[in-house]
Amino acid sequence: MADIIQLLPDHVANQIAAGEVVQRPASVVKELLENAIDAGSTTIKLIIKDAGKTLVQIIDDGKGMSVTDARLSFERHATSKIRNAEDLFQLNTKGFRGEALASIAAIAHVELKTKQEQDEVGTSIVIKGSDIASQNVVVTPKGTSISVKNLFFNIPARRNFLKSNTVELRHIIDEFQRVALAHPDIGFVMYNNGSESFNLPISNYRQRIVNIFGNKTNEKLVPVEEDTEVLKISGFVGKPEFAKKARGEQYFFVNDRFIKSAYLNHAIGSAFEGLLKSGTHASYFLNLTVNPQTIDINIHPTKTEIKFDDEHTLYALLRSAVKHSLGQFNIAPVLDFERDSNLDTPYNYTQTKVSTPSVEVDRSFNPFKEESSFGVSNSQPKQTSYKKESTASWEGLYVGLESKGTQDLDDFSEVQFESEETTASIFSDDKQAEQIHTTYQLHNKYIVSTIKSGMLVMDQHRAHQRVLYEDFLKNITVKNTVSQQLLFPLVLHFTTQEVTIIQELKDDLESTGFIFLDFNAESIEIAGVPVNVPESEVSIILEQLISDVENEVPDSHFSATDLLAKSMAKSLAIKTGQSLEKDEQEHLVNKLFACKEPNVSPTNRTTFITMSVDELDKKFI
Ligand code: ADP
Ligand code: MG
């Protein structure tokens, strides 16, 4: 048989390699920024068009390349950064594989202009899909400019696979911020579609963080410094009271390289133990400097993971450094051994008889009523639309609870949409109906209800999420919600990126009842909120929303709407631990079974289970 093995042509090999190096426009941004840094630049400009799908350009003022180097830089395994395998353990540069430019040139139109300081003129090279289209002598300033156009032009499948511009741009901004945070000694400017998004002058580290995340960040930072033989730590952690639901602002840099490490993240978490509200995450911006020989950054192609020789020691050092800072800046609670004598019981009181303090309680006050009625059953019941869709899924559970006839059933489906008062009156003279409505709250968590075949146990939090979720989705589509005007506009502070997220969801948020007055760089002014959303909850709702969007980056309008509905439902749903009155329990049961998909919560968790009398019987054998 003839020989069948062939060496792949270079451009094919490059395209394959590109699959690893370049996943999306943000990967190009990362590689080119890193090259510019390795070239010793002091100012780096990033220019983006259409979220990098049309153009990613980086202009630096670094050392530039000679004619030969300019040409060679696009060859695979062409690098000036290592010469032999030992160099891998002494890395002081970002790049070393010599693959980035070759890979990028294989899947895009690339224009390079570069000049070294001592040269009179520079070199310009144009490459399209690994083919050199032209090479010329040009007049160009010292440094390098690389434009990458029409990414994935020759791999339509990859191009189609790219997400919306919003998503791709967010990835680019993430990369840009990571690189910029690691190098406050370099100035960075970023333009997106012709307008300046970031202008970060050379500064100290604190100022760099503030320039990226907004002025409000300054007061939130607690410095962390530690210098030991194995590890130098410097940077900041966020004060616990500013901890957010989003994990967004968590940055580790090891020898100026952004890395992800669940293990080290855990060290920070444990340093913050007891200081954070549950579900929130502290932010941190920490630079670790270690001997390059003790790490291996080679284990991940995109190089955000890293292997340390001695992780346990790093963990312990990091944890104690952060703990120390929190303590030093009076953030961790300190035991107060100096007793304040004013708080002691005066002697003349010791013989006095103690009477139980009495508390006046307004028993008719029911905070839940307002909340549950939010989007659930409001003043003007528009519930008729539920009627048709409601019966099918759940009626099987209740049908003909013994002697009930169809007529009564109709009544029942009607009833669930009336106000509580009417419900009560309709059922009061009907013994059988009362039985339908027997509910009981278990551990302030579950609602137990009798059904035809036995019993039903419902998770109150998940059930209410489902109810609210469907209501929000409907409101967003129908756009007929009522807002509650605020007496004074509410000003909420966010980072620029967070403001953008809210701005993207503006239309949908307005459909739920929000009224926005103004979007500023770092704040949002709100004039109205959905009916029955307490003003105090608004910032929590929006923070939750931002966190959800960041964690689940929606890639279409449809999924953004869905996410909004889910997120708001999550924030506003009755919590586990909340005690409910009988009528509230019943109302929730009814509302759940009026939903299109009562069986699962918006995040696909079971909302209720049933247990038949048969099953119970078996347990009693
Ligand atoms: P690596 O960075 O791993 O060496 P690249 O493909 O990214 O591989 O770059 C190849 C070589 O091209 C680099 O080693 C460097 O010598 C040169 N180079 C790339 N970008 C620049 C730049 N902006 N300024 C100067 N030299 C550059
Ligand atoms: Mg490189």
Side-chain angles (χ1 to χ4, degrees):
M1 204 168 126
D3 300 334
I4 50 170
I5 297 182
Q6 291 181 359
L7 281 179
L8 286 176
D10 268 358
H11 69 274
V12 178
N14 284 341
Q15 257 193 30
I16 294 170
E20 262 205 13
V21 182
V22 186
Q23 278 109 27
R24 48 174 20 122
S27 337
V28 174
V29 169
K30 172 172 188 278
E31 293 296 336
L32 297 185
L33 284 175
E34 291 189 348
N35 279 349
I37 291 166
D38 285 345
S41 311
T42 49
T43 304
I44 300 174
K45 232 184 246 178
L46 167 64
I47 299 167
I48 298 294
K49 289 217 171 96
D50 296 328
K53 293 173 186 171
T54 314
L55 173 75
V56 172
Q57 182 177 13
I58 300 228
I59 304 171
D60 69 46
D61 58 359
K63 65 177 181 229
M65 285 180 263
S66 69
V67 190
T68 331
D69 280 355
R71 187 72 178 245
L72 254 181
S73 67
F74 291 102
E75 294 294 326
R76 207 136 73 90
H77 306 309
T79 179
S80 55
K81 298 169 194 175
I82 56 171
R83 306 225 164 259
N84 49 45
E86 281 84 72
D87 290 351
L88 269 178
F89 303 100
Q90 316 277 357
L91 277 176
N92 288 315
T93 55
K94 309 256 162 201
F96 57 87
R97 294 159 172 262
E99 270 180 338
L101 289 188
S103 300
I104 294 167
I107 50 165
H109 297 168
V110 177
E111 283 175 38
L112 166 82
K113 281 185 193 160
T114 187
K115 186 181 92 73
Q116 293 178 300
E117 179 136 52
Q118 67 275 20
D119 294 341
E120 287 284 300
V121 286
T123 311
S124 126
I125 293 179
V126 178
I127 299 189
K128 295 184 173 166
S130 294
D131 295 328
I132 306 243
S134 71
Q135 175 169 349
N136 291 305
V137 172
V138 285
V139 175
T140 178
K142 172 206 165 199
T144 304
S145 153
I146 300 192
S147 310
V148 177
K149 297 179 181 167
N150 309 323
L151 190 66
F152 298 130
F153 78 100
N154 50 359
I155 318 180
R158 294 294 296 277
R159 202 173 163 86
N160 295 336
F161 191 68
L162 291 178
K163 298 279 172 69
S164 68
N165 282 5
T166 322
V167 174
E168 295 301 340
L169 183 65
R170 193 165 302 142
H171 284 290
I172 290 178
I173 292 176
D174 280 348
E175 290 295 353
F176 176 82
Q177 290 181 338
R178 289 170 184 175
V179 173
L181 275 173
H183 296 276
D185 51 336
I186 299 176
F188 290 90
V189 190
M190 173 175 163
Y191 296 94
N192 176 36
N193 290 333
S195 58
E196 190 181 277
S197 330
F198 290 95
N199 190 341
L200 313 172
I202 294 174
S203 62
N204 62 24
Y205 193 44
R206 182 187 270 268
Q207 192 59 48
R208 173 58 52 94
I209 296 172
V210 170
N211 284 341
I212 292 178
F213 295 105
N215 285 329
K216 278 260 155 191
T217 324
N218 200 11
E219 54 169 314
K220 304 179 186 174
L221 300 176
V222 183
V224 180
E225 295 291 338
E226 183 72 84
D227 203 347
T228 71
E229 256 172 40
V230 276
L231 171 71
K232 184 172 176 291
I233 306 171
S234 77
F236 299 90
V237 291
K239 290 182 186 162
E241 66 262 38
F242 297 109
K244 293 194 179 177
K245 298 230 172 182
R247 280 185 177 274
E249 293 162 15
Q250 300 189 326
Y251 297 88
F252 279 125
F253 300 93
V254 172
N255 297 356
D256 295 340
R257 190 188 293 276
F258 171 80
I259 61 137
K260 286 182 182 156
S261 165
Y263 186 65
L264 295 185
N265 179 58
H266 191 271
I268 309 278
S270 79
F272 271 91
E273 207 172 278
L275 298 175
L276 295 176
K277 267 190 264 162
S278 79
T280 63
H281 306 278
S283 44
Y284 53 83
F285 311 86
L286 293 168
N287 300 299
L288 316 183
T289 315
V290 296
N291 181 341
Q293 291 186 357
T294 65
I295 51 170
D296 180 3
I297 44 175
N298 210 1
I299 57 170
H300 195 269
T302 48
K303 295 171 279 180
T304 51
E305 276 159 28
I306 196 166
K307 211 167 132 3
F308 298 98
D309 281 358
D310 187 2
E311 270 193 332
H312 295 304
T313 310
L314 297 196
Y315 183 102
L317 286 173
L318 193 58
R319 178 167 180 270
S320 84
V322 172
K323 257 191 133 127
H324 180 74
S325 290
L326 290 173
Q328 205 177 19
F329 289 85
N330 264 336
I331 285 145
V334 249
L335 282 179
D336 187 3
F337 289 108
E338 276 176 38
R339 209 178 51 174
D340 185 351
S341 55
N342 290 326
L343 298 177
D344 287 350
T345 317
Y347 286 116
N348 52 345
Y349 272 85
T350 46
Q351 302 303 326
T352 331
K353 251 183 111 191
V354 182
S355 63
T356 326
S358 69
V359 179
E360 286 296 335
V361 180
D362 176 5
R363 292 188 189 280
S364 63
F365 176 70
N366 179 353
F368 174 81
K369 254 192 184 123
E370 248 192 22
E371 201 189 333
S372 78
S373 60
F374 168 50
V376 177
S377 88
N378 222 333
S379 36
Q380 74 284 56
K382 31 184 190 332
Q383 292 94 342
T384 30
S385 61
Y386 278 127
K387 200 180 152 190
K388 275 166 252 99
E389 62 206 37
S390 65
T391 43
S393 51
W394 58 269
E395 68 182 6
L397 296 173
Y398 286 95
V399 158
L401 195 95
E402 286 357 333
S403 65
K404 291 296 279 183
T406 16
Q407 181 52 46
D408 296 307
L409 248 183
D410 267 347
D411 281 348
F412 182 46
S413 57
E414 198 83 57
V415 160
Q416 55 189 304
F417 308 125
E418 304 293 338
S419 69
E420 276 118 42
E421 288 77 5
T422 3
T423 314
S425 72
I426 286 179
F427 283 110
S428 56
D429 51 7
D430 185 336
K431 282 273 167 287
Q432 198 62 66
E434 258 176 15
Q435 193 182 343
I436 294 177
H437 267 245
T438 307
T439 58
Y440 174 79
Q441 195 185 21
L442 195 66
H443 285 249
N444 288 346
K445 181 171 188 196
Y446 296 109
I447 294 168
V448 183
S449 168
T450 46
I451 53 169
K452 179 185 146 203
S453 63
M455 70 171 188
L456 166 148
V457 183
M458 174 187 280
D459 180 311
Q460 63 186 46
H461 178 61
R462 293 184 191 175
H464 197 211
Q465 274 195 44
R466 162 57 61 184
V467 170
L468 292 177
Y469 168 70
E470 292 200 5
D471 272 334
F472 281 127
L473 271 190
K474 194 156 67 83
N475 288 342
I476 294 170
T477 351
V478 181
K479 300 189 194 298
N480 68 345
T481 35
V482 195
S483 298
Q484 151 197 348
Q485 294 273 346
L486 300 175
L487 207 50
F488 301 103
L490 185 64
V491 181
L492 297 176
H493 295 275
F494 294 103
T495 66
T496 320
Q497 210 174 336
E498 290 169 343
V499 172
T500 324
I501 292 177
I502 301 291
Q503 211 164 3
E504 277 159 17
L505 290 168
K506 177 172 172 274
D507 288 350
D508 286 341
L509 278 165
E510 283 177 346
S511 316
T512 69
F514 278 96
I515 302 170
F516 294 99
L517 266 188
D518 207 1
F519 287 89
N520 304 307
E522 291 180 18
S523 63
I524 294 174
E525 251 179 88
I526 297 173
V529 296
V531 179
N532 291 328
V533 168
E535 197 174 326
S536 56
E537 291 277 309
V538 175
S539 75
I540 299 171
I541 294 171
L542 293 182
E543 239 191 55
Q544 179 72 52
L545 178 64
I546 290 165
S547 152
D548 289 344
V549 171
E550 283 180 337
N551 289 331
E552 208 176 298
V553 199
D555 52 10
S556 64
H557 176 74
F558 175 74
S559 70
T561 311
D562 190 64
L563 199 93
L564 169 66
K566 269 187 198 151
S567 181
M568 296 210 12
K570 187 159 66 183
S571 305
L572 289 163
I574 303 163
K575 303 280 179 295
T576 298
Q578 190 170 337
S579 128
L580 302 179
E581 298 290 331
K582 268 273 181 293
D583 54 350
E584 295 160 351
Q585 301 168 18
E586 287 165 14
H587 190 77
L588 185 58
V589 173
N590 288 337
K591 286 301 292 183
L592 179 70
F593 289 108
C595 285
K596 282 188 183 155
E597 273 186 70
N599 303 33
V600 287
S601 76
T603 45
N604 254 333
R605 315 276 280 279
T606 308
T607 47
F608 68 89
I609 53 152
T610 57
M611 191 176 259
S612 66
V613 175
D614 281 353
E615 284 169 80
L616 283 171
D617 286 347
K618 278 189 201 133
K619 295 208 183 285
F620 284 99
I621 289 173

